[in-house]
Every structure is written in structure tokens, then in C-alpha cells.
Amino acid sequence: MAPGALAMLLLLLLPPLPGLPSRTAGCPSSCRCYSATVECGALRLRAIPPGIPPGTQTLFLQDNSIARLESGALAPLAALRRLYLHNNSLGALESGSFSAQPRLLELALNGNRLRGLRGSAFSGLSQLRVLYLAGNQLARLLDFTFLHLPRLQELHLQENSIELLEDQALAGLSSLALLDLSRNQLGTISHQALQPLASLQVLRLTENPWRCDCALHWLGTWIKEAGQRLLSSRDKKIVCAEPPRLALHSLLEVSGSSLICIPPSVHVEPLEITANLGEDLRVACQASGYPQPLVTWRKVSQPRERSEQAQAHPEGRVPGLGGHGAPDMGSGMLFLTNITLAHAGKYECEASNAGGTARVPFQLLVNLSQQQRLPAAPSPPSAGPVSHEPLYEAGSMAFRALGLATQTAIAAGIALLALTALLLAAMICRKRRKRKKAAGPPGEGVLFVNDYSDGPCTFAQLEELRDEQGHEMFVIDRSKPLFTEGPATEALADRAPSEGAASSPAQGLLFPPPVAFEIHC
């Protein structure tokens, strides 16, 4: 056998040396695979590549452009122990993103674009020991964010923008030994937030804009008494950023009497408003104190009703908070849109800081009908100059804002206008009635004589009819003549026209020519 063929056969039979790529067909394209390791870093990937061997224990996906963990993308990788996704473009973690990795020990998510964390995102990671979240855009850590990580030992949160750490944000981390919160925007931290950390050995809090007031008094005392073992010489330098009189001072050098708070005071004006259906409403709640109070609007529940908060939000914030109160710093704005009867009731503005809590009630009334204005009364002609000043509706907010004397004067003016309108209407009606009773045009209501029949008639022979204008008239019924033709009638017909039909009574009873009577009423 040729030496070259023998060498090739030996290379095929020998297992791959550490550091050399595997020749297995199950490795994704462009990735490098070793015994139980798959390296797919810096390949400009936008998603987790398919074809990763199910037995992979370490997966490198750093320095790519992965923006989202597709549902089920990690499902086949149940054997994963270490997953490195740092320096990608992840903006959010879906619920149960790692639920198929119960053996995962180390998870690197630093250097991404995470703005918030859901506690359900880490469900299933009961064995996780190290979690890297540094270098993201986190602003708040909400309660129970890490509740599903009972064995976590290291939590790296440095270089974020965390300004709020809620009291139960670290609940469940009873095994945590290292907590790094340095280089964030923390102004304060409560004692309750650190209480769940029974195994804590290293705490890093430097390079935060600490607000040295009464809420931070406990931290200075704790560091002096029991926290010395948790802080290095560098970590003990917790520097105050405010108030100005304590700026650049070390918290350990400030006396307890200098760490003060000013309880909040709240002001709402007006305390009661009546709104119309369909309107929008904004009510400002001004709060002052030190530190700046947290302002929250709530709707006060009525008796025998479940407590619910107003669906309100501070102006400039995203609406739709799921029925929760809407906190704002300093000036809370109650903003209600398209007001209905359900919005009516009592509200409460609450302001709280480390110095205490203050509340102010507010009443909202809703009109049953939409806003209506009084109809303008017809002004009499040539009655002098007319005032163009606006009339205020008695139920409007502008009317209620006027003084008592002004309100009375406006109400009296409105009543006078209404009375004037009624008098004018009565005068117009009287004039119309008089016109109806007055004599009509010439010929109206007189007896018209027309030659409609062959002889005289009486009212017994008349029929009641109406012409086109609706006037009543009576015409002779030709089928019922009362007088027959005789000599007298013929004699009258032979008379000269000059004699006329109007003979004097001395000439005796003369019958008029045959006519029909049309009577207009």
C-alpha cells in the first residue's frame, strides 16, 4: 500500500483532535462543531441556524444579528449546559424562551437591546448558575423577575439604565452570591430588595447617581455594621449625587441627621367637575416634596363593588395599563377619553415618597345628555343694538367657574330673554288670528248669480260643493225645478233689456231670469 494512502486511512480512523473541526455531517453550514460544542459566532446570523446536533452541550452564537428567539428554535437542544448569545440584537425575551433547557448552567445575554424582563422568560431554568445581563437597556426590574432561578449564584446587571428596583424584584434568589448593579441609574434602593439574598457575598453598587435622603439611611448603617464583608474598598465609595448640598460626598461620611425627606403635599383644582357624555377630561394633580413624590390616580370603589382603579394614564405616556393606576413623577395627569356614565364617581390622587403619603379626593359628575345650549331667541326688529356676548350654559364648567353674583345675573338675563321670546310669539299669533277674521278680497263671501239653469230655485234645491280654493258653494240642482214655464215667464223673457231685472216693488212680483245661485262663504 502506498504511504500516502496509508496516512489518509489513519487520519480517517483517528478521532478529531481538540481544536480541529469535526467532519460530521450534522454540523450547521459555516459553523464549527466539536465533540459536544457548536461554534457559530460572528457569522452575521439573523436566527438560530437549523441542524444543530441534539446532543450539543455548549453553543456559541455571539457577535451575530439575532433579534428574536423564534418559538421552538431551542426545543431540540435539551442537553444544553452553556448558551452564549452575547452581542446580538435581542430586544425582548418571550415567555418560556428557555423552557426546553432544564440543564442549562450558564446563559450570556449581555450586550443586547433588552428593555425589559418578564419573570416567565426564565421559567424552566431551575439549574442555572450564572446569568449575564450587562450592557443592555434595562430601566426597571419588576417584582418576581428572577423567581424561577432558585440556584442562581451570579447575576450581572451592570452597565444598564436601571433606575428602579422594586422591593420583590430579587425574590427567590436565596442562593445568589454575587450581585453587580454598578454603572446604572439607581437613585435609591430599599432594604426589602436585598432581604431575599441570604447567601450574598459580593455586592457592587458604585457609579450610580445616589440620592442621599432618609430612604438611604439604612444603607449607610448597614454598610458600617454588617455590609463591610460584601464590599471591596472600591465598592464602599458610594457617592451622593443629590441633594446639591451633599453632592460628591461619600454616603459613609454623611451623618444620619443630614439624610432627610420632605413629606409630600398634593393639590388638585377643582375638586369636582361635571362633564358631558363623549367629552375628554384632563385633571392635573400637583405634588411636591423631597424626594419627588410618586403620583398615582385611583378610582375609589363604591360600596359592594370590587375595587378597581381608574383607566387613566399620565399625559405623554402609553395608554391602556390594564386597569392599574397610572403613576407619574411630580405632576400626575388623569386623562379620560370619551366619557361615559361608568366614569362618574370618586377618584383619589395619591402622592408618596420616603417621607410619607398624601391623598386628595376628586369627584367626577357626568351629565345624562350631551352638552346642549339654549336656542337663541328671535330678536325683535329694530329693537336697538343686540349684545353679542356669549351665553353660558348653566351646567357647563365655564358657568360654574364664575362667581355667585355673576351666575345670578346670567340666569336672570336668560330668563328675561325667554320671557321676551314668549311675548313675541303671543303677539305674532294674535296678529295672525286678526288677519284671518278680517274681510277678504273683493268678491269674497258675496252671492254670485250665474245662468246655470232654466228657472228660479230655492235653497232646498242647492247642493253643497267646494271650488279649487276650498270655498263652499251651492249650485242649483237642475233635476228639481220648482217653477214651470208660463205666460209670466214668457212675458218676462220678451221684455226689453233696457228694463233690467231690478223692477221696483210697485210693479209687483217679478221673477228674475232663470239663474243658478253660487254662494261663496
Side-chain angles (χ1 to χ4, degrees):
M1 182 178 292
L6 181 61
M8 182 62 68
L9 180 60
L10 290 175
L11 287 174
L12 291 174
L13 295 176
L14 291 175
L17 297 175
L20 294 178
S22 172
R23 297 181 180 272
T24 60
C27 189
S29 177
S30 302
C31 296
R32 292 174 291 180
C33 300
Y34 307 101
S35 176
T37 300
V38 176
E39 184 178 343
C40 301
L43 296 179
R44 300 181 180 178
L45 299 176
R46 295 184 177 274
I48 296 176
I52 299 176
T56 301
Q57 296 183 8
T58 303
L59 178 58
F60 290 93
L61 291 168
Q62 77 283 359
D63 302 314
N64 282 291
S65 301
I66 301 174
R68 183 171 178 268
L69 294 179
E70 300 292 339
S71 178
L74 297 172
L77 307 179
L80 268 183
R81 297 295 184 91
R82 295 172 179 83
L83 177 58
Y84 300 99
L85 282 164
H86 51 283
N87 299 333
N88 274 277
S89 302
L90 291 173
L93 297 177
E94 303 294 334
S95 299
S97 297
F98 309 101
S99 58
Q101 287 71 49
R103 300 181 182 181
L104 198 64
L105 300 176
E106 188 173 350
L107 176 60
L109 296 170
N110 47 305
N112 279 275
R113 301 175 183 176
L114 298 175
R115 294 179 177 271
L117 295 174
R118 300 178 181 178
S120 56
F122 302 112
S123 61
L125 298 179
S126 58
Q127 301 296 324
L128 193 67
R129 300 294 197 274
V130 182
L131 178 58
Y132 295 96
L133 290 168
N136 280 277
Q137 301 173 13
L138 300 176
R140 296 187 174 192
L141 293 181
L142 305 180
D143 289 337
F144 312 112
T145 299
F146 308 103
L147 188 62
H148 300 284
L149 305 175
R151 298 193 179 184
L152 191 68
Q153 297 177 0
E154 296 184 20
L155 179 57
H156 298 265
L157 291 165
Q158 67 273 18
E159 299 180 23
N160 276 280
S161 300
I162 301 173
E163 60 183 8
L164 175 63
L165 185 70
E166 293 192 353
D167 291 347
Q168 299 298 322
L170 304 176
L173 298 179
S174 57
S175 300
L176 194 68
L178 184 149
L179 175 61
D180 194 342
L181 288 168
S182 61
R183 285 171 283 177
N184 275 282
Q185 296 298 317
L186 285 171
T188 189
I189 187 173
S190 67
H191 192 197
Q192 291 81 1
L194 299 182
Q195 279 185 341
L197 310 181
S199 303
L200 192 63
Q201 299 179 13
V202 178
L203 177 63
R204 296 171 183 167
L205 299 173
T206 56
E207 299 182 57
N208 280 283
W210 295 107
R211 184 178 62 248
C212 294
D213 54 27
C214 65
L216 213 61
H217 184 276
W218 76 270
L219 183 58
T221 304
W222 176 76
I223 291 175
K224 294 175 183 178
E225 296 177 355
Q228 295 284 351
R229 60 181 181 85
L230 303 181
L231 304 174
S232 64
S233 57
R234 178 176 178 272
D235 295 329
K236 292 178 183 178
K237 297 179 181 179
I238 298 177
V239 180
C240 301
E242 56 175 297
R245 60 185 178 84
L246 298 179
L248 302 181
H249 284 72
S250 174
L251 178 63
L252 297 178
E253 298 173 356
V254 176
S255 63
S257 59
S258 298
L259 302 175
I260 61 174
C261 294
I262 301 176
S265 61
V266 191
H267 178 71
V268 176
E269 181 67 31
L271 295 177
E272 180 179 316
I273 287 180
T274 300
N276 295 309
L277 292 173
E279 288 184 344
D280 295 342
L281 179 67
R282 294 182 181 181
V283 182
C285 178
Q286 300 291 338
S288 61
Y290 186 83
Q292 189 67 43
L294 180 69
V295 180
T296 306
W297 276 100
R298 292 185 176 88
K299 186 174 183 181
V300 180
S301 61
Q302 299 297 330
R304 299 181 182 179
E305 293 182 2
R306 292 186 306 172
S307 176
E308 61 176 0
Q309 296 172 332
Q311 293 183 355
H313 62 276
E315 186 176 10
R317 295 201 176 209
V318 180
L321 299 177
H324 296 287
D328 187 22
M329 299 301 292
S331 175
M333 184 69 73
L334 175 65
F335 185 23
L336 301 176
T337 59
N338 192 19
I339 289 179
T340 64
L341 291 178
H343 290 98
K346 295 183 179 179
Y347 292 76
E348 187 177 75
C349 177
E350 178 182 291
S352 60
N353 63 8
T357 301
R359 299 179 181 89
V360 170
F362 168 77
Q363 180 80 22
L364 175 61
L365 305 176
V366 178
N367 285 334
L368 295 180
S369 59
Q370 294 184 352
Q371 184 175 3
Q372 299 177 350
R373 295 190 179 275
L374 293 175
S379 57
S382 303
V386 180
S387 174
H388 296 282
E389 295 184 1
L391 298 179
Y392 292 97
E393 184 186 3
S396 66
M397 295 170 58
F399 182 82
R400 288 191 305 275
L402 301 175
L404 180 59
T406 306
Q407 292 181 14
T408 305
I410 291 175
I414 294 174
L416 182 60
L417 286 176
L419 181 59
T420 304
L422 292 175
L423 292 176
L424 287 173
M427 291 173 61
I428 293 172
C429 290
R430 291 183 61 185
K431 287 182 179 180
R432 288 183 178 178
R433 290 177 181 175
K434 287 181 179 181
R435 288 177 183 176
K436 290 182 179 180
K437 294 181 179 179
E444 188 80 22
V446 300
L447 181 65
F448 289 89
V449 179
N450 297 304
D451 188 6
Y452 285 150
S453 66
D454 297 330
C457 66
T458 65
F459 284 99
Q461 295 175 284
L462 300 182
E463 293 180 350
E464 181 179 0
L465 298 176
R466 289 181 181 270
D467 63 4
E468 294 180 353
Q469 288 75 27
H471 298 296
E472 293 181 354
M473 66 182 180
F474 298 89
V475 298
I476 190 168
D477 186 355
R478 300 178 188 179
S479 62
K480 300 178 181 179
L482 295 180
F483 300 95
T484 59
E485 295 182 0
T489 305
E490 293 176 357
L492 286 173
D494 294 335
R495 291 176 67 87
S498 59
E499 294 178 4
S503 299
S504 63
Q507 295 177 341
L509 180 62
L510 295 178
F511 293 99
V515 295
F517 295 87
E518 186 180 80
I519 303 173
H520 291 259
C521 298

